[in-house]
Amino acid sequence: LQVVELKVEMVCIHEKRLRKCLSKLKGIEKVEVDTNCQKVVVTGYTHKNKILKAIRRGGLKADFWSAQNELLNAYVSANYASLRFNPFSFF
């Protein structure tokens, strides 16, 4: 049993397409999707390259998750959390 973490560029509407692509593979136990971080965690007995290939065949941009992605997500979420929108100051 192995856990494969992937970065998949998608919006909410692509989750259904992603799950359909992965459902065709044998040996997958569980698929977890975090659309905010664009992270997909696949647990099962399928080789990680087959998982990546199936997602790309479905028309989604995907790559293996890396430590760089963790840092980027932390930076982006921290910056967005500190932004405040004041609708009355345009200049």
Side-chain angles (χ1 to χ4, degrees):
L1 188 70
Q2 72 174 354
V3 177
V4 180
E5 295 179 332
L6 301 151
K7 178 177 176 38
V8 181
E9 292 183 20
M10 64 178 170
V11 292
C12 295
I13 59 171
H14 292 139
E15 184 176 348
K16 187 175 180 181
R17 186 191 315 175
L18 173 80
R19 290 187 184 276
K20 186 176 179 181
C21 294
L22 294 176
S23 70
K24 296 176 183 178
L25 295 176
K26 294 180 182 179
I28 292 182
E29 301 282 324
K30 184 168 70 169
V31 177
E32 298 172 47
V33 179
D34 183 357
T35 53
N36 292 334
C37 296
Q38 297 187 349
K39 183 176 184 177
V40 177
V41 180
V42 180
T43 306
Y45 296 98
T46 307
H47 194 271
K48 64 181 185 177
N49 289 335
K50 286 186 178 182
I51 295 169
L52 181 64
K53 197 173 188 179
I55 294 171
R56 286 181 176 170
R57 234 187 257 140
L60 298 169
K61 288 181 79 176
D63 208 354
F64 293 114
W65 191 262
S66 66
Q68 181 182 4
N69 295 342
E70 291 287 343
L71 292 172
L72 186 61
N73 279 335
Y75 176 75
V76 168
S77 62
N79 280 343
Y80 283 133
S82 65
L83 290 177
R84 294 181 187 207
F85 178 67
N86 184 353
F88 300 109
S89 72
F90 293 103
F91 301 101

